[in-house]
């Protein structure tokens, strides 16, 4: 599974979580009301609701950041030991009179030698921030500009780059204004954030007070800051988008969203049957009858570009944008990184790519490469991995090396000249590979070992392989050839995709058809008392993961006949982790723990287990310390039993007891 497959799966999982906890209807309603410009004054009731807190716990538990501690040295596992009722009560009590705990400061090194200050709240404060984020996100998503891509659901860097390429190719906007905001996250005005949230309809004073306290939380070793958004907080990306959303709409209002007396827009139908709103007639009329400057903005977080048609327009837009950021948002512009670029003559860097227009027949077409700095970074990264591979020439070492190469390929594959760029990188590390790997690795044609990696076979490039002998069997592990990559053109974001509309969700995934939503609702509304929050959360995941079927019999589970079994019992060191749990039928569960031969015989008469099923039961019994069920000659227990077995398609050549 590639990095992007994992990211896509994560998005679907997050969306599924909303549905599991019946929160999706609430979020859909918030989105719809926000579209209708409703004012929200009682959001705290939704934030402290049982469903929202359970959902927040589930989402934060699966976050990799949950393994990082704050100033109190507590992790998500400490919260997992609490019961779900205790977690809900804790969050509600904290929000009655909220005071955030001190934030841990961590300096992250940057490529230019400087450091980026990262603020890490405690795990409890991150849980509270997640509760707030889940309620605020649908409200904000309804108001956000449709061509901002950073820290938003279903949007990626590839969508932002694709949009920039589209503007360069189709709109003949050959000048771009690059503006870099100086230390954006550290210089955001707190009062400005509050005002912008109020204008978006978030007018719950209790919630505003809580967010204001979060922004002014003490940083250990530094003190209280009067400005800035702490990087590392769960709520920080959303707040950053709220701040810059005003910039998006201001630039859009100058041309794209400029109101006209006559409605020039038309609905057009593509061959695929998809309808879209065509604004070309409107832009043509505005170009002929007005002196407005054509401009379009593409933004990813605080990195944005404004495309325009001439150098004179670009100069005016550059000055106006700097002035607007200073007066309106109280943000400074970095003069060293801010500039105007003629795309027909020079490259412009954007999200690790460099873009330029090159003549092709009678028009200019966008050509894209990996940015120069990123080329050096990739090269040094691969050299580091080669050193590690020499020190650990094993399956694990090869997999780690391949994951790095695969990650780079998956990200930069949308560059039109990506094959040329990676050939250069491969040439630069060739000597390093030879010197480090020639002793323990051999050179031969690449052979893919997984379906996801078999695409590399078609390149027929020689690479280094490591052969390992296990039980007189020889296994070959091949490292991925660096230059084996082909361009894959990026796709523009489909604005119909949305987490908070029924139509938008259908474009993301299909409904779980095999899962009983009645049973799922029962599991959600009836947590097991005296059990941890982790246990109650995992049993919902488990039911969906097993598609509502017993792990042994593969028959549908009923509410009255379903139990969660710990593979490794808790009295022998077992935990409530997902991998240690399994859903089985009640009678199967009794059979796993049974010690009486008579009871075993009676249970197997009832269950009609096949030999494969029994093997699975035996593996679970072994973990529990129970003896193995023995195979004996066939015995007929009566016509009723034989008839029942035939009904279930069971071959009774053997029985188990």
């Amino acid at each position: 599974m590639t990095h992007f497959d994992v990211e896509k799966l994560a998005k679907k999982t997050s969306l599924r979580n909303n549905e599991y906890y019946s929160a999706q209807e609430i979020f859909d309603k918030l989105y719809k009301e926000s579209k209708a410009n409703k004012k929200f004054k009682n959001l705290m009731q939704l934030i402290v609701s049982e469903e929202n807190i359970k959902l927040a716990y589930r989402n934060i538990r699966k976050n990799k950041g949950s393994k990082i501690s704050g100033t109190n040295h507590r992790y998500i596992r400490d919260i997992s030991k609490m019961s779900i009722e205790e977690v809900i009560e804790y969050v509600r009590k904290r929000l009655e009179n909220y005071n955030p705990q001190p934030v841990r400061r961590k300096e992250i090194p940057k490529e230019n030698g400087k450091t980026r200050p990262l603020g890490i709240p405690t795990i409890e404060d991150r849980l509270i921030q997640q509760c707030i984020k889940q309620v605020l996100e649908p409200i904000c998503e309804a108001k956000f500009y449709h061509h901002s891509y950073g820290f938003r659901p279903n949007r990626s860097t590839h969508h932002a780059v694709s949009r920039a390429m589209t503007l360069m190719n189709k709109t003949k906007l050959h000048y771009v204004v690059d503006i870099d905001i100086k230390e954006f996250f550290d210089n955001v005005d707190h009062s400005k954030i509050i005002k912008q949230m109020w204008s978006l309809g978030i007018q719950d004073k209790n919630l505003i007070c809580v967010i204001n306290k979060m922004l002014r939380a003490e940083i250990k070793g530094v003190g209280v800051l009067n400005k800035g958004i702490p990087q590392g907080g769960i709520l920080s990306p959303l707040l950053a988008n709220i701040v810059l959303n005003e910039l998006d709409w201001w630039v859009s209002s100058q041309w794209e969203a400029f109101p006209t007396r006559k409605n020039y827009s038309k609905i057009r139908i593509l061959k695929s049957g998809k309808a879209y709103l065509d604004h070309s007639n409107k832009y043509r009329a505005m170009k002929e009858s007005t002196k407005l400057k054509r401009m379009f903005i593409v933004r990813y977080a605080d990195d944005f570009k404004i495309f325009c048609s001439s150098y004179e327009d670009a100069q005016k837009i550059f000055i106006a944008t700097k002035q607007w950021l200073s007066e309106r948002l109280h943000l400074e512009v970095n003069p060293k990184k801010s500039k105007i670029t003629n795309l027909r003559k020079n490259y412009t860097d954007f999200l690790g790519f460099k873009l330029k227009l090159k003549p092709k027949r009678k028009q200019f077409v966008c050509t894209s490469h990996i940015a120069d700095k990123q080329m050096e970074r990739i090269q040094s990264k691969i050299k580091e991995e080669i050193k590690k591979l020499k020190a650990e020439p094993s399956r694990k070492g090869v997999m780690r090396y391949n994951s790095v190469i695969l990650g780079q390929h998956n990200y930069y594959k949308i560059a039109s000249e990506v094959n040329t760029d990676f050939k250069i990188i491969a040439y630069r590390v060739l000597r390093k590979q030879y010197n480090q790997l020639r002793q323990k690795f051999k050179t031969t044609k690449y052979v893919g070992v997984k379906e996801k990696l078999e695409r590399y076979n078609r390149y027929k490039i020689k690479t280094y392989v490591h052969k390992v002998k296990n039980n007189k069997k020889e296994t070959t592990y091949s490292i991925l050839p660096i230059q084996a990559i082909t361009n894959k053109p990026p796709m523009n974001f489909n604005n119909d995709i949305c987490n908070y509309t029924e139509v938008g969700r259908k474009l993301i995934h299909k409904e779980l058809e095999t899962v009983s939503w009645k049973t799922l609702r029962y599991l959600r509304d009836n947590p097991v008392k005296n059990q941890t929050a982790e246990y109650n959360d995992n049993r919902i995941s488990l039911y969906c993961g097993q598609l509502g079927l017993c792990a042994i019999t593969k028959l549908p589970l009923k509410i009255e006949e379903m139990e969660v079994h710990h593979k490794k019992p808790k009295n022998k060191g077992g935990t409530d982790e997902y991998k240690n749990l399994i859903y089985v039928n009640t009678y199967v569960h009794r059979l796993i723990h049974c010690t009486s031969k008579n009871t075993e015989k009676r249970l197997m008469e009832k269950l009609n287990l096949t030999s494969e099923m029994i093997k699975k039961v035996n593996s679970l019994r072994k973990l529990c310390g129970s003896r193995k069920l023995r195979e004996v000659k066939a015995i007929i227990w009566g016509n009723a039993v034989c008839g029942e077995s035939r009904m279930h398609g069971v071959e009774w050549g053997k029985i188990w007891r």
Side-chain angles (χ1 to χ4, degrees):
M1 186 177 289
T2 68
H3 169 74
F4 289 95
D5 290 331
V6 172
E7 186 181 355
K8 190 176 180 181
L9 183 62
K11 290 174 181 176
K12 290 184 178 182
T13 304
S14 179
L15 192 54
R16 283 287 180 221
N17 294 342
N18 298 349
E19 297 168 354
Y20 294 162
Y21 285 98
S22 285
Q24 194 61 63
E25 293 180 6
I26 298 169
F27 298 154
D28 289 355
K29 186 180 178 183
L30 289 173
Y31 181 85
K32 187 178 179 180
E33 289 176 345
S34 181
K35 278 282 188 183
N37 296 319
K38 183 184 174 180
K39 311 300 180 186
F40 302 92
K41 298 183 179 182
N42 295 304
L43 292 175
M44 286 301 291
Q45 294 180 4
L46 294 175
I47 290 170
V48 299
S49 66
E50 185 177 327
E51 294 82 4
N52 191 56
I53 296 172
K54 286 180 180 178
L55 178 62
Y57 167 77
R58 183 181 181 90
N59 285 330
I60 200 171
R61 187 172 66 86
K62 296 183 181 292
N63 195 319
K64 291 182 180 179
S66 63
K67 298 177 181 179
I68 302 172
S69 65
T71 53
N72 61 355
H73 304 292
R74 285 169 62 85
Y75 301 87
I76 190 64
R77 63 174 178 261
D78 297 303
I79 297 178
S80 298
K81 293 175 183 177
M82 301 165 63
S83 68
I84 196 66
E85 292 84 5
E86 289 174 333
V87 174
I88 294 168
E89 186 62 26
Y90 174 81
V91 173
R92 288 174 175 174
K93 240 179 185 179
R94 283 286 306 275
L95 286 172
E96 285 177 4
N97 186 18
Y98 182 72
N99 284 300
Q101 299 177 37
V103 177
R104 181 161 74 93
R105 172 64 65 93
K106 178 75 174 176
E107 300 291 338
I108 306 296
K110 296 168 71 174
E111 293 178 359
N112 57 6
K114 297 181 180 179
T115 58
R116 177 181 288 109
L118 191 69
I120 305 171
T122 61
I123 190 66
E124 295 87 353
D125 285 337
R126 274 177 274 169
L127 177 61
I128 291 170
Q129 288 190 27
Q130 181 66 33
C131 291
I132 296 171
K133 182 197 173 188
Q134 289 168 177
V135 173
L136 292 188
E137 192 171 67
I139 298 172
C140 296
E141 279 294 317
K143 298 291 180 65
F144 281 163
Y145 179 63
H146 48 279
H147 287 306
S148 67
Y149 299 96
F151 307 124
R152 294 183 64 187
N154 306 310
R155 290 166 170 82
S156 67
T157 52
H158 285 186
H159 290 131
V161 174
S162 178
R163 173 62 178 172
M165 290 178 176
T166 301
L167 291 172
M168 291 169 64
N169 286 329
K170 294 186 176 182
T171 58
K172 297 182 180 180
L173 300 175
H174 296 173
Y175 290 85
V176 66
V177 176
D178 290 313
I179 294 180
D180 183 80
I181 301 174
K182 189 177 180 180
E183 297 176 349
F184 168 69
F185 280 90
D186 298 329
N187 291 308
V188 171
D189 190 294
H190 291 171
S191 60
K192 187 64 185 176
I193 294 178
I194 301 303
K195 290 176 182 176
Q196 288 174 319
M197 289 175 63
W198 193 271
S199 65
L200 289 175
I202 304 166
Q203 298 182 3
D204 188 328
K205 293 182 180 180
N206 291 332
L207 176 59
I208 295 291
C209 183
V210 169
I211 293 173
N212 195 36
K213 287 181 179 180
M214 284 180 179
L215 293 170
R216 300 178 188 275
E218 179 190 354
I219 300 173
K220 193 175 182 179
V222 179
V224 179
L225 301 179
N226 295 320
K227 61 179 182 179
I229 302 172
Q231 298 183 65
I234 290 176
L235 203 57
S236 300
L238 182 63
L239 295 177
N241 274 329
I242 289 173
V243 173
L244 292 175
N245 182 57
E246 194 174 349
L247 170 68
D248 299 335
W249 285 111
W250 175 74
V251 175
S252 177
S253 68
Q254 306 302 307
W255 177 261
E256 186 182 5
F258 190 86
T260 56
R261 293 179 182 177
K262 184 181 175 182
N263 185 16
Y264 292 94
S265 301
K266 292 184 179 181
I267 297 175
R268 300 195 183 274
I269 309 293
L270 298 173
K271 290 182 179 179
S272 60
K274 181 186 175 182
Y276 75 100
L277 200 60
D278 185 10
H279 299 290
S280 58
N281 290 336
K282 172 189 172 181
Y283 299 150
R284 193 179 297 109
M286 289 166 61
K287 187 178 177 181
E288 293 174 355
S289 59
T290 68
K291 294 183 179 181
L292 294 173
K293 300 168 186 65
R294 287 195 297 157
M295 62 177 79
F296 292 90
I297 187 172
V298 182
R299 182 175 65 82
Y300 189 93
D302 61 329
D303 194 356
F304 66 93
K305 293 182 176 293
I306 302 174
F307 292 86
C308 42
S309 56
S310 67
Y311 183 72
E312 291 76 18
D313 288 352
Q315 281 184 309
K316 293 175 182 178
I317 292 167
F318 185 74
I319 295 168
T321 306
K322 283 199 303 181
Q323 189 176 348
W324 191 91
L325 286 170
S326 176
E327 294 178 359
R328 188 76 179 179
L329 301 183
H330 313 300
L331 296 171
E332 293 183 39
V333 171
N334 189 345
K336 294 182 180 179
K337 297 182 179 180
S338 303
K339 58 183 179 179
I340 299 170
T341 305
N342 183 351
L343 296 172
R344 295 190 297 250
K345 296 181 179 180
N346 300 301
Y347 284 98
T348 182
D349 290 356
F350 190 44
L351 301 174
F353 300 86
K354 60 178 186 180
L355 314 175
K356 186 182 178 182
L357 287 166
K358 291 189 176 181
K360 186 177 181 180
R361 299 187 181 93
K362 294 182 180 181
Q363 59 183 359
F364 286 91
V365 178
C366 177
T367 301
S368 52
H369 288 267
I370 302 172
D372 297 336
K373 287 184 179 179
Q374 297 304 313
M375 288 274 287
E376 294 175 5
R377 186 189 64 79
I378 295 169
Q379 182 182 325
S380 61
K381 179 68 176 175
I382 292 174
K383 285 183 177 180
E384 286 178 18
E385 292 301 322
I386 291 170
K387 284 183 181 179
K388 292 179 183 177
L389 188 57
K390 182 190 178 183
E392 190 181 5
S394 60
R395 177 183 177 274
K396 186 179 178 182
V398 172
M399 294 288 286
R400 184 178 60 238
Y401 176 88
N402 285 348
S403 66
V404 172
I405 301 298
L406 196 61
Q408 302 300 330
H409 283 179
N410 283 336
Y411 184 79
Y412 293 105
K413 65 185 177 183
I414 64 170
S416 61
E417 303 299 324
V418 66
N419 183 257
T420 304
D421 294 339
F422 271 102
K423 279 183 179 178
I424 295 169
I425 294 170
Y427 177 76
R428 290 175 180 175
V429 303
L430 182 63
R431 179 56 58 182
K432 186 81 172 178
Q433 279 186 326
Y434 177 76
N435 291 335
Q436 299 286 337
L437 305 179
R438 62 178 175 171
Q439 294 180 352
K440 297 182 180 180
F441 287 76
K442 295 182 179 180
T443 55
T444 185
K445 191 178 79 172
Y446 175 81
V447 179
V449 292
K450 290 185 178 181
E451 292 182 5
K452 294 282 184 182
L453 303 180
E454 284 180 356
R455 66 179 186 267
Y456 288 94
N457 292 338
R458 63 189 174 94
Y459 292 97
K460 298 180 181 179
I461 298 173
K462 285 189 176 181
T463 187
Y464 290 91
V465 299
H466 183 64
K467 295 183 179 181
V468 180
K469 287 186 178 179
N470 291 321
N471 299 327
K472 298 181 180 181
K473 281 187 176 182
E474 192 175 67
T475 309
T476 302
Y477 300 106
S478 307
I479 70 170
L480 294 179
I482 298 170
Q483 66 271 41
I485 184 172
T486 305
N487 162 255
K488 185 180 179 181
M491 301 295 291
N492 281 335
F493 178 72
N494 183 357
N495 282 295
D496 293 333
I497 294 174
C498 181
N499 286 358
Y500 308 108
T501 62
E502 194 171 335
V503 175
R505 284 195 297 276
K506 284 183 180 179
L507 297 172
I508 302 172
H509 65 223
K510 295 181 180 180
E511 292 290 334
L512 284 171
E513 297 174 355
T514 56
V515 170
S516 168
W517 289 96
K518 182 182 177 182
T519 307
L520 197 61
R521 197 177 298 111
Y522 175 83
L523 295 175
R524 184 195 69 226
D525 297 338
N526 297 276
V528 180
K529 294 182 179 179
N530 302 321
Q531 288 287 358
T532 64
E534 184 179 22
Y535 175 90
N536 282 295
D537 183 65
N538 280 333
R539 74 189 190 117
I540 297 174
S541 302
L542 204 64
Y543 179 75
C544 298
Q546 294 180 196
L547 302 177
L549 305 176
C550 174
I552 304 298
T553 64
K554 303 300 179 184
L555 296 175
L557 291 166
K558 298 178 181 179
I559 295 173
E560 64 275 9
E561 294 182 357
M562 54 189 290
E563 293 180 8
V564 177
H565 169 69
H566 287 80
K567 295 177 183 177
K568 186 177 182 180
K570 296 186 80 172
N571 59 9
K572 293 187 177 183
T575 64
D576 291 330
E577 292 180 312
Y578 182 90
K579 62 183 180 182
N580 194 47
L581 303 178
I582 189 171
Y583 250 121
V584 292
N585 181 283
T586 302
Y587 301 103
V588 173
H589 199 198
R590 288 174 62 187
L591 183 61
I592 294 169
H593 293 284
C594 181
T595 57
S596 169
K597 291 184 179 181
N598 291 330
T599 308
E600 289 171 10
K601 180 181 175 180
R602 190 170 62 254
L603 288 170
M604 283 196 293
E605 285 182 23
K606 185 173 184 66
L607 291 167
N608 292 331
L609 301 180
T610 63
S611 58
E612 286 298 319
M613 295 175 185
I614 290 293
K615 285 180 182 179
K616 293 179 181 179
V617 173
N618 278 332
S619 64
L620 295 172
R621 283 175 64 89
K622 185 178 179 181
L623 292 171
C624 296
S626 300
R627 62 177 178 81
K628 186 179 179 182
L629 297 171
R630 292 182 295 115
E631 186 178 359
V632 298
K633 293 181 180 179
I635 300 174
I636 305 299
W637 287 308
N639 295 329
V641 175
C642 293
E644 191 177 346
S645 67
R646 292 190 193 101
M647 285 173 60
H648 289 86
V650 179
E651 296 181 4
W652 283 88
K654 298 176 181 179
I655 66 159
W656 300 76
R657 70 181 181 189

